[in-house]
Amino acid sequence: MKKDILKHKLVPEHAILSKTEANKVIKQLNIHQEQLPKIKVDDPVVKEIDAKSGDILKITRRSHTAGKFITYRLVL
Amino acid sequence: MQGILKKISQINFGLLSPENIRKMSVTKIVTPDTYDEDGYPIEAGLMDPRLGVIDPGLRCRSCGSKGGDCQGHFGHINLARPVIHVGFADTIHKILRSTCSSCGRVLLTESEIIDYKDKLDAKYKNEESITALIKEIYTVARRDKCPHCDEEQEEVKIDKPVSIVEGNYKLTSSEVRERLEKIEEDDYILIGINPVVAKPEWMVLTVLPVPPVTVRPSITLETGERSEDDLTHKLVDILRINQRLKENMEAGAPQLIVEDLWELLQYHVTTYFDNEASGVPPARHRSGRPLKTLAQRLKGKEGRFRSNLSGKRVNFSARTVISPDPNISINEVGVPEMIAREVTVPVYVTDWNIEDMRKHIENGPKIHPGANYVIRPDDRKIRVYEETKDSILEKLEPGYVVERHLMDGDIVLFNRQPSLHRMSMMAHEVKVLPYKTFRLNLCVCPPYNADFDGDEMNMHVFQTEESRAEAKSLMRVQEHILSPRFGGPIIGGIHDHISGAYLLTREGSVFEEDHVLQMLKKARLPLPKRKNEGWTGKEVFSLLLPDDLNMVYRAEICRKCDECLRQDCKNDAYVVIEDGQLKTGAIDEKAYGAFSGKILDSIVKDYGTDKAREFLDSATKLAISGIMKRGFTTSTADEEIPREAKDRIEELLSMAELKVEQLIDAYHNDELEALPGRSLRETLEMKIMQVLGEARDKSGEIAESYFGMDNHAVIMALTGARGSMLNLTQIAACVGQQSVRGGRIERGYSKRTLPHFKEGELGAKASGFVHSSYKKGLDPLEFFFHAMGGREGLVDTAIRTAQSGYMQRRLVNALQDLSVQPDGTVRDNRGIVIQSKYGEDGVDPAKSDYGKVADIDRMIEEMRIKSKAAK
Ligand SMILES: [Mg+2]
Ligand SMILES: [Zn+2]
Ligand SMILES: [Zn+2]
Ligand SMILES: [Zn+2]
């Protein structure tokens, strides 16, 4: 029996950013793409949403301090 | 020698070849003596001047630089017979075990050799570790027969530390060396040796490098006697035996004698490298002390790595016992004059301070605000003596630096180990005081976790203007009143500060005006205008509050009444401050105590740290002068309860014990019903614990009902100054169940806790219920159970500190390079983003409202009061 891991309550929402969106994020943070936190291509969620190496993921998760927090990760 | 800056791109580890040892040597060492009768070093001896100089007056004969600049030069000893290097004995053993005794090839088949070489090449290319693969080869290459020359292989064993035994025959070092020489260079890689930097036979020494004298300096004792370094002693031994071995061999002495001497040479060389090698008795000094040889210099906590490289000693620091001083500010530290004369501050001499500096030099090193050293513009450091004072004063001009004594107002760093959080190191202003202890204000005890039962603390004196400026703005005590851990004050009133303030401000506390003025004067506060009538304590305390302060909160003494009467609270626990006037409520721990002081918290946040420090300094002083006015003491008389109460408690406890007996009977008669998910036995335990717990609480309640706010112990417990209600009821009524591992006590003898009970007895008394109160006294059995429970507490704390210490270390190691950048991101030292916003909400917890951005409810309540006051 295979479950949809994306629906699990402990798995936050992952979305692949488009090129323009990705550039906007990079510019906004004023960093190099390589300076972003990373996520491996063989991460179960990355495989599930079919992200490719070099993609930037937007991860929206619940936060104790901020309520909702958006973070970005570079797929390795 | 001048320092040369070069960047290290690569480090290669290899072995020194005999040729290399001879090449880097400046001289052969042959004479086991060090100095001749006149005290001059002997040529070709262990102190040969070519090995380098230490005396700054002399020039080195090898490199020409002055003593101190010359790092020394190696010599060498030609060993009469080869000797195994202890450090490599295991490697030699492993190599001989996996190579053929006859042809020297590795005991692998041709196909295996090709296979492993391919694998090794691949690992090399990918820059992966080859250790696992080499280990595999060593296990595969243990064969009874050589695949190359079909020679039968005997088992090779190692006899610690350095003897290699083949079958029953002990190989001599020369034979070992010959075997190693036979191994083909093509096979080196298979046994884990890089042919570029090492050959296996170099692990058997034929030449011994002699370290330069700078590595093993001799010390001259006061008596004029010379004392040599342990390494020199060891080298002397080696030279002596080497000499005798050589002579005996040349004279054609019997084989037995030569072998004995050879063995002895091996022993000396072994202990020269490692005097704690297993299987060899350590070489000892004449006094019986084991010698500290090469390995001992590096190993362990006192070794070069942990003691000199990972940690270093510093100058301009001091350490002594601490003691309290309620009269100095929280920002200050009392420094003994003796220390102030020793640690110094460098001051650049200018036209504006030259007169001051002159005075310091005139005072010299012995009179307090004096000076110890003067640094000339050419960087020469001159000690200030009585005799040199005048000549220094003559030359003193702008551009000089004077290292003057520590004085009032200087900024220093103060620290108490274990430095677990940033408040463990804070900057204080110096106040030079008589006697020999560091003095600190009691309010800073919580952040340092200090008490005065013999605690010592360290002080460091800043040496640059930059560090002083930085410390003053970032590290001063007043900047750390709020803890980043929970967004509330960690520095605040403790103990008598709390009880004092309560006694001063509680309902009905009224003072004659003269007494009020006395108290204020004693607290060094400005005196208010007389109003020619009595003052309430609340009015007195209001003098300290900012005029526009408005706040409402429930004090520590609040008993959580079912329906809060707010301003009309019977306990005076509802604190209302209107425009800086304390209207209702008593001041206690919740007002300005460490960890929970609301008024203090709000003053820091709304009025800044300067105001907060002033408030804390004067509030604590006022509380102390208040408590001194009234007098405050405690004794076990405070825990006395009337006969009738004792009777009631006694009855209650015997009822409970009876109930426990009934439960046990029910259990034995199988009448007990098991709770869901529990066994019958567990159910019984839980029920007994519940009954006894309730009994203890009830007995406490009975005792409490006799305790009023006129009781000093109770005042301390309820205001949060010290102790708890539980402590008091344990003294007065009943100590209660003792526990080990979270349950009643079961351990001890077989089937019983002590031989005074029957086997399998489950009653209250037999399992550690302490019926008595501390005041009444425990009977021997109760005392024993109490000690069992107490011991567990001690063991737990000991283990917990060790565990949490290691956790802290790992956490700090992982996080030490992270910092918040100006753009609000958290990054590591490579610039990699860890959090795109600090803490995900960008809030500094120290400036937050107890972790939250703001407490809306509180703000509304305060605004309500403010508008009411305005009307
Ligand atoms: Mg202590
Ligand atoms: Zn030299
Ligand atoms: Zn062979
Ligand atoms: Zn109340």
Side-chain angles (χ1 to χ4, degrees):
Chain A
M1 189 180 70
K2 193 170 186 291
K3 287 222 171 145
D4 185 355
I5 58 164
L6 298 181
K7 293 216 175 91
H8 192 280
K9 64 172 178 184
L10 293 178
V11 177
E13 188 192 326
H14 290 61
I16 306 170
L17 291 187
S18 68
K19 265 267 145 10
T20 43
E21 284 172 320
N23 285 334
K24 220 175 101 188
V25 168
I26 296 286
K27 208 164 180 186
Q28 189 192 318
L29 287 171
N30 190 25
I31 52 166
H32 232 263
Q33 173 161 302
E34 292 300 309
Q35 288 172 305
L36 276 176
K38 314 285 191 297
I39 189 166
K40 286 203 170 174
V41 245
D42 55 2
D43 183 281
V45 176
V46 174
K47 284 200 279 192
E48 196 69 25
I49 62 172
D50 201 28
K52 296 280 171 290
S53 178
D55 282 349
I56 291 175
L57 301 188
K58 173 180 166 179
I59 299 166
T60 315
R61 62 181 182 217
R62 276 182 297 158
S63 157
H64 280 293
T65 50
K68 195 179 90 175
F69 186 67
I70 297 170
T71 184
Y72 302 92
R73 279 180 189 271
L74 175 70
V75 182
L76 277 185
Chain B
M1 205 188 78
Q2 284 295 304
I4 302 163
L5 283 179
K6 278 185 180 168
K7 206 170 172 183
I8 297 169
S9 62
Q10 196 178 43
I11 299 179
N12 245 333
F13 289 101
L15 298 178
L16 275 178
S17 68
E19 296 83 68
N20 264 327
I21 294 173
R22 289 203 181 88
K23 216 187 279 170
M24 72 179 193
S25 158
V26 287
T27 176
K28 188 164 87 180
I29 310 290
V30 284
T31 330
D33 297 311
T34 47
Y35 299 95
D36 60 22
E37 306 88 66
D38 306 324
Y40 287 105
I42 297 170
E43 292 259 319
L46 278 168
M47 288 294 163
D48 189 299
R50 284 168 292 185
L51 297 180
V53 287
I54 304 168
D55 190 341
L58 299 173
R59 279 198 178 273
C60 173
R61 269 173 58 186
S62 297
C63 67
S65 33
K66 271 187 280 187
D69 289 338
C70 163
Q71 357 80 303
H73 313 277
F74 273 90
H76 74 275
I77 298 171
N78 285 323
L79 297 173
R81 277 290 164 93
V83 156
I84 288 173
H85 187 309
V86 254
F88 297 110
D90 278 327
T91 321
I92 292 173
H93 170 232
K94 273 197 290 181
I95 291 174
L96 292 186
R97 209 168 51 180
S98 17
T99 51
C100 173
S101 55
S102 148
C103 72
R105 292 297 308 268
V106 176
L107 296 174
L108 293 174
T109 61
E110 285 298 345
S111 60
E112 279 172 340
I113 290 181
I114 294 168
D115 187 35
Y116 278 123
K117 279 195 173 161
D118 282 349
K119 279 188 190 167
L120 284 168
D121 277 344
K123 294 250 178 196
Y124 258 115
K125 266 201 201 92
N126 296 330
E127 297 190 337
E128 283 173 61
S129 165
I130 59 163
T131 28
L133 201 54
I134 298 293
K135 211 170 170 185
E136 189 189 321
I137 294 174
Y138 273 125
T139 45
V140 175
R142 284 186 72 179
R143 288 205 162 86
D144 297 338
K145 204 170 183 187
C146 173
H148 305 278
C149 69
D150 287 343
E151 175 83 16
E152 294 280 338
Q153 301 294 317
E154 280 213 79
E155 201 190 344
V156 180
K157 279 184 287 194
I158 182 163
D159 188 4
K160 289 263 170 173
V162 291
S163 305
I164 307 283
V165 184
E166 191 181 46
N168 289 321
Y169 175 70
K170 180 183 170 297
L171 296 172
T172 65
S173 307
S174 306
E175 284 162 336
V176 170
R177 197 167 202 273
E178 279 159 26
R179 290 275 178 91
L180 295 171
E181 277 166 1
K182 259 195 293 199
I183 300 169
E184 289 173 25
E185 230 176 278
D186 284 347
D187 284 351
Y188 281 5
I189 183 74
L190 295 167
I191 50 172
I193 290 176
N194 176 4
V196 184
V197 294
K199 284 189 176 192
E201 63 262 31
W202 296 344
M203 290 188 276
V204 181
L205 300 164
T206 51
V207 192
L208 188 70
V210 175
V213 281
T214 41
V215 173
R216 42 185 180 88
S218 54
I219 19 178
T220 319
L221 299 173
E222 285 145 51
T223 52
E225 225 178 326
R226 260 220 177 82
S227 174
E228 295 300 336
D229 190 274
D230 283 1
L231 279 188
T232 312
H233 280 301
K234 210 61 234 172
L235 286 165
V236 169
D237 291 340
I238 292 172
L239 277 172
R240 273 209 193 106
I241 300 303
N242 196 41
Q243 193 67 30
R244 265 174 63 196
L245 179 59
K246 200 152 110 197
E247 284 162 12
N248 274 288
M249 275 159 51
E250 277 160 10
Q255 189 63 26
L256 217 63
I257 291 177
V258 172
E259 264 170 29
D260 273 359
L261 285 169
W262 192 356
E263 194 88 334
L264 203 53
L265 181 67
Q266 174 73 61
Y267 167 78
H268 284 308
V269 175
T270 302
T271 49
Y272 166 71
F273 284 116
D274 183 0
N275 203 16
E276 279 163 12
S278 58
V280 254
R284 286 173 194 281
H285 201 251
R286 255 168 301 169
S287 61
R289 166 183 68 86
L291 294 173
K292 259 195 151 202
T293 53
L294 288 174
Q296 279 66 53
R297 284 192 176 196
L298 310 176
K299 262 187 204 163
K301 203 169 176 180
E302 260 104 73
R304 205 92 319 147
F305 293 105
R306 278 176 73 182
S307 174
N308 303 107
L309 292 163
S310 303
K312 286 195 166 78
R313 288 167 179 269
V314 291
N315 289 328
F316 307 106
S317 62
R319 178 186 175 94
T320 185
V321 175
I322 53 168
S323 50
D325 189 339
N327 298 313
I328 62 174
S329 163
I330 54 164
N331 264 347
E332 290 178 317
V333 58
V335 178
E337 196 191 296
M338 203 186 265
I339 286 176
R341 282 198 308 256
E342 202 64 48
V343 289
T344 56
V345 177
V347 178
Y348 282 88
V349 177
T350 62
D351 287 330
W352 300 277
N353 68 9
I354 193 158
E355 283 315 313
D356 277 352
M357 290 306 118
R358 274 180 190 288
K359 272 186 207 122
H360 278 106
I361 296 170
E362 267 162 34
N363 279 338
K366 289 202 184 110
I367 298 167
H368 172 55
N372 291 353
Y373 285 96
V374 169
I375 302 167
R376 296 198 317 218
D378 64 354
D379 279 350
R380 278 294 284 271
K381 206 167 178 176
I382 306 156
R383 169 111 223 186
V384 180
Y385 290 112
E386 285 306 307
E387 306 85 57
T388 54
K389 249 161 44 177
D390 294 327
S391 73
I392 292 170
L393 279 172
E394 241 168 65
K395 288 186 210 126
L396 194 73
E397 59 182 35
Y400 273 60
V401 174
V402 176
E403 294 201 329
R404 56 141 246 253
H405 289 165
L406 202 60
M407 290 195 322
D408 285 7
D410 283 332
I411 287 256
V412 294
L413 189 61
F414 205 44
N415 162 234
R416 180 181 177 274
Q417 283 99 350
S419 318
L420 293 176
H421 55 192
R422 71 178 199 206
M423 288 80 74
S424 291
M425 298 187 106
M426 292 190 287
H428 289 246
E429 274 163 34
V430 169
K431 193 158 172 102
V432 179
L433 295 174
Y435 312 119
K436 292 181 179 173
T437 56
F438 282 135
R439 250 58 58 81
L440 47 110
N441 186 292
L442 288 131
C443 295
V444 294
C445 287
Y448 288 121
N449 191 21
D451 49 35
F452 306 106
D453 59 3
D455 291 25
E456 292 181 57
M457 283 181 71
N458 306 321
M459 183 190 79
H460 298 268
V461 181
F462 296 107
Q463 296 291 306
T464 62
E465 293 298 345
E466 293 92 324
S467 57
R468 273 189 286 275
E470 203 161 284
K472 198 160 183 174
S473 55
L474 299 174
M475 304 183 72
R476 220 143 49 118
V477 175
Q478 64 178 52
E479 311 298 330
H480 292 266
I481 294 174
L482 297 182
S483 164
R485 195 168 75 206
F486 48 84
I490 191 174
I491 294 170
I494 54 170
H495 304 165
D496 279 4
H497 298 154
I498 311 285
S499 1
Y502 173 77
L503 292 173
L504 189 73
T505 58
R506 71 170 163 184
E507 201 58 50
S509 151
V510 185
F511 299 88
E512 280 170 38
E513 185 153 63
D514 287 347
H515 287 197
V516 169
L517 295 181
Q518 267 179 32
M519 284 192 299
L520 291 170
K521 191 77 201 166
K522 198 164 186 164
R524 299 183 194 182
L525 286 168
L527 296 183
K529 269 209 207 87
R530 278 181 178 271
K531 53 182 195 178
N532 295 317
E533 58 180 38
W535 289 59
T536 66
K538 290 190 170 66
E539 286 170 331
V540 180
F541 193 81
S542 298
L543 292 171
L544 304 171
L545 299 172
D547 287 337
D548 52 349
L549 183 75
N550 285 289
M551 63 188 310
V552 193
Y553 67 88
R554 285 188 182 82
E556 178 73 20
I557 48 169
C558 177
R559 309 308 297 275
K560 317 251 153 50
C561 320
D562 293 332
E563 198 201 339
C564 190
L565 301 173
R566 303 216 164 180
Q567 274 94 329
D568 304 320
C569 177
K570 294 193 302 292
N571 301 316
D572 203 17
Y574 195 75
V575 181
V576 177
I577 297 170
E578 273 176 31
D579 283 337
Q581 290 299 311
L582 180 59
K583 293 287 177 191
T584 65
I587 297 299
D588 63 12
E589 197 190 12
K590 277 272 180 61
Y592 75 120
F595 301 112
S596 56
K598 302 255 186 206
I599 298 178
L600 180 60
D601 179 65
S602 132
I603 291 180
V604 187
K605 280 167 188 160
D606 298 340
Y607 301 87
T609 52
D610 279 320
K611 260 266 162 342
R613 186 243 306 141
E614 274 169 39
F615 169 73
L616 202 49
D617 282 342
S618 29
T620 51
K621 272 185 203 143
L622 182 65
I624 295 300
S625 60
I627 204 172
M628 284 165 77
K629 186 101 238 151
R630 192 183 174 282
F632 195 74
T633 178
T634 185
S635 76
T636 46
D638 279 347
E639 287 87 24
E640 189 58 56
I641 47 173
R643 167 112 251 153
E644 114 201 297
K646 283 183 192 163
D647 291 345
R648 276 171 64 199
I649 290 167
E650 201 56 44
E651 195 192 317
L652 187 90
L653 291 177
S654 34
M655 287 284 284
E657 277 156 354
L658 195 72
K659 208 164 165 203
V660 170
E661 286 308 317
Q662 285 166 355
L663 280 170
I664 294 168
D665 284 345
Y667 168 73
H668 285 312
N669 299 334
D670 275 339
E671 287 161 13
L672 205 65
E673 206 151 314
L675 290 170
R678 304 272 172 189
S679 73
L680 222 49
R681 186 65 225 282
E682 285 167 347
T683 309
L684 177 69
E685 270 312 298
M686 285 178 66
K687 290 210 159 149
I688 292 176
M689 290 278 272
Q690 197 194 339
V691 168
L692 293 177
E694 262 169 32
R696 205 218 67 85
D697 292 345
K698 287 255 176 58
S699 73
E701 276 165 33
I702 294 173
E704 258 179 73
S705 66
Y706 293 89
F707 292 154
M709 267 306 194
D710 50 348
N711 182 319
H712 290 174
V714 175
I715 289 178
M716 288 194 285
L718 292 184
T719 56
R722 197 78 226 245
S724 64
M725 235 30 210
L726 177 68
N727 292 152
L728 300 188
T729 55
Q730 281 191 320
I731 297 172
C734 168
V735 174
Q737 179 68 49
Q738 298 301 304
S739 75
V740 170
R741 297 259 180 121
R744 297 201 301 156
I745 292 171
E746 293 177 19
R747 52 188 61 221
Y749 293 80
S750 72
K751 295 182 194 148
R752 52 183 170 174
T753 49
L754 284 172
H756 310 70
F757 301 107
K758 294 202 183 78
E759 284 190 358
E761 210 175 319
L762 296 169
K765 179 119 193 161
S767 295
F769 181 73
V770 179
H771 178 117
S772 319
S773 65
Y774 283 125
K775 190 157 185 187
K776 184 181 162 213
L778 279 57
D779 71 31
L781 301 182
E782 289 175 336
F783 185 89
F784 189 83
F785 290 129
H786 185 257
M788 284 175 79
R791 168 70 70 86
E792 187 184 54
L794 293 182
V795 170
D796 277 5
T797 36
I799 290 172
R800 224 187 1 256
T801 43
Q803 276 180 345
S804 58
Y806 184 43
M807 272 200 267
Q808 160 105 0
R809 228 182 105 80
R810 290 189 298 188
L811 208 58
V812 169
N813 267 329
L815 300 179
Q816 61 183 354
D817 293 320
L818 306 193
S819 59
V820 184
Q821 303 298 316
D823 66 357
T825 61
V826 179
R827 305 200 190 188
D828 67 7
N829 49 353
R830 298 166 303 172
I832 296 205
V833 175
I834 306 295
Q835 281 183 331
S836 45
K837 199 170 191 190
Y838 170 71
E840 304 192 336
D841 60 357
V843 169
D844 176 353
K847 300 200 166 83
S848 70
D849 204 347
Y850 287 90
K852 299 232 167 50
V853 179
D855 186 342
I856 304 285
D857 291 342
R858 207 196 69 194
M859 286 161 77
I860 290 171
E861 183 74 6
E862 278 165 23
M863 265 144 56
R864 203 173 58 84
I865 292 214
K866 209 169 182 176
S867 65
K868 215 173 77 184
K871 268 184 229 158

